[in-house]
Amino acid sequence: MLIRIPRGWELPERSATPESLVFGRRAALQAATGLAAAGLAGPAMAQATGAAPRNPRYLPGRDITAEKDATTYNNYYEFGTDKGVYRPAQKLPLRPWSVKVDGLVDQPRDYGIDELLQAMPLEERVYRLRCVEAWSMVVPWTGFPLAALLKAAGPKPGARYVRFESAALPAVMPGLRQSWYPWPYVEGCTLEEAANELSFLVTGAYGKPLAPQNGGPIRLHQPWKYGFKAGKSLVRISLVAERPTSFWEAIQPAEYGFWANVNPEVPHPRWSQASERVLGTGERIPTQLFNGYGEFVAGLYTGLQKERLWT
């Protein structure tokens, strides 16, 4: 009997873009046509529309979440603690915007967001996202590998970690009034994690520029980690020697630690992580170690089995 094992880069039919999303992109494609007629293409077109060629290497294994669900059910504590933060988040000005790259690098620089988009290799990747609250979604993200930015910055020999800092704009972010939180929102990872091919700086979703409630104009996504590790609306990326203390780790280190790798075998102190609720359908499905991305990242944690990788 012939048993065929699919290769990692093959795209099954279930991973193709749903028809509803294809036609939902009509406006973006029309805008792209206008740019092409005006003589703009490549990075400029992707920058204006949020669209970019899809990389088939990263297969989600299940259907893409409806855009409406992914853009109206969000965590963004700078705008509030309920899931309807997409409403107040619309006040976030996405232009002008700059991202400072500094710390232990050979080429420190302040990038205007559009300058950064022009300089980086944009592509679309369909990634799963697993929230520590035990819900999940699948999103077609546009962006570029974090490794590309690290290469441009040139890490110095003493750099061991990457620190990500989110915007803190009191004029438009009512959640900042909750002064007991350690603002600004800070996250971090090791330099090796940052350089992993899965680490992605997101600038768009669903073929459009990234919405503010999803972390626009630029956010981090490392799909093998719980979603709270993905800093939104980034304003600073620093290479540092000492391990940064992340936002939730500073608040409750027993529940939210530095590593935060998805692990169904280790429950959160207040709920199980063995399964997750699929956003939009409500289906309960088993959670996978490293959110199913173990083939890409398991080697990062060799010898760290005694660490609390889940927290």
Side-chain angles (χ1 to χ4, degrees):
M1 179 175 65
L2 178 63
I3 300 176
R4 183 177 182 275
I5 301 175
R7 287 162 286 190
W9 50 263
E10 292 184 294
L11 182 67
E13 290 185 9
R14 69 176 183 274
S15 297
T17 305
E19 183 179 20
S20 61
L21 289 181
V22 172
F23 289 100
R25 295 180 180 175
R26 182 172 297 168
L29 292 175
Q30 287 174 341
T33 301
L35 286 170
L40 298 174
M45 186 178 294
Q47 169 185 327
T49 66
R54 178 172 295 181
N55 188 332
R57 177 169 168 78
Y58 310 104
L59 304 180
R62 60 180 192 261
D63 291 340
I64 291 174
T65 301
E67 181 179 358
K68 181 179 179 181
D69 293 321
T71 57
T72 61
Y73 190 91
N74 310 104
N75 285 326
Y76 202 153
Y77 272 52
E78 287 88 334
F79 291 100
T81 58
D82 66 79
K83 294 297 189 289
V85 292
Y86 70 93
R87 296 183 181 92
Q90 302 313 306
K91 295 182 179 180
L92 180 67
L94 302 183
R95 297 294 189 281
W97 194 276
S98 64
V99 180
K100 179 186 290 292
V101 179
D102 65 0
L104 297 174
V105 295
D106 293 325
Q107 301 292 332
R109 185 170 174 180
D110 285 353
Y111 286 94
I113 185 63
D114 295 316
E115 176 190 19
L116 184 60
L117 293 176
Q118 287 280 355
M120 293 295 133
L122 297 180
E123 61 182 72
E124 183 181 77
R125 296 184 180 185
V126 182
Y127 275 165
R128 296 185 292 277
L129 184 152
R130 172 61 156 80
C131 182
V132 74
E133 298 169 345
W135 55 266
S136 64
M137 60 182 178
V138 176
V139 177
W141 306 105
T142 303
F144 56 91
L146 177 54
L149 185 60
L150 295 177
K151 181 179 179 180
K156 289 182 179 293
R160 297 181 58 207
Y161 298 92
V162 184
R163 178 185 184 274
F164 304 91
E165 182 176 322
S166 294
L169 304 173
V172 297
M173 293 176 164
L176 297 180
R177 299 169 193 159
Q178 298 171 343
S179 59
W180 54 88
Y181 286 125
W183 306 114
Y185 197 101
V186 168
E187 260 305 338
C189 67
T190 66
L191 186 60
E192 290 76 17
E193 289 175 314
N196 183 271
E197 65 174 281
L198 290 185
S199 293
F200 204 52
L201 287 171
V202 176
T203 60
Y206 297 94
K208 303 173 185 177
L210 190 62
Q213 66 270 27
N214 293 113
I218 183 168
R219 66 172 288 173
L220 174 68
H221 187 36
Q222 294 175 311
W224 72 97
K225 293 179 176 288
Y226 290 118
F228 71 86
K229 292 293 291 183
K232 299 181 175 73
S233 303
L234 297 174
V235 294
R236 189 174 184 181
I237 300 173
S238 305
L239 274 67
V240 296
E242 301 298 324
R243 192 167 93 175
T245 299
S246 60
F247 180 85
W248 287 106
E249 185 182 9
I251 295 169
Q252 182 50 273
E255 296 188 5
Y256 307 102
F258 177 78
W259 297 103
N261 295 322
V262 176
N263 189 341
E265 298 297 325
V266 181
H268 185 279
R270 290 178 281 136
W271 57 79
S272 171
Q273 296 289 14
S275 67
E276 61 204 64
R277 174 176 60 88
V278 177
L279 195 62
T281 70
E283 179 186 7
R284 299 293 307 193
I285 61 173
T287 292
Q288 302 177 67
L289 180 64
F290 297 119
N291 203 20
Y293 292 97
E295 64 178 298
F296 297 99
V297 301
L300 293 171
Y301 307 103
T302 301
L304 295 178
Q305 287 80 0
K306 293 183 180 180
E307 290 266 351
R308 298 176 65 193
L309 296 178
W310 63 280
T311 59

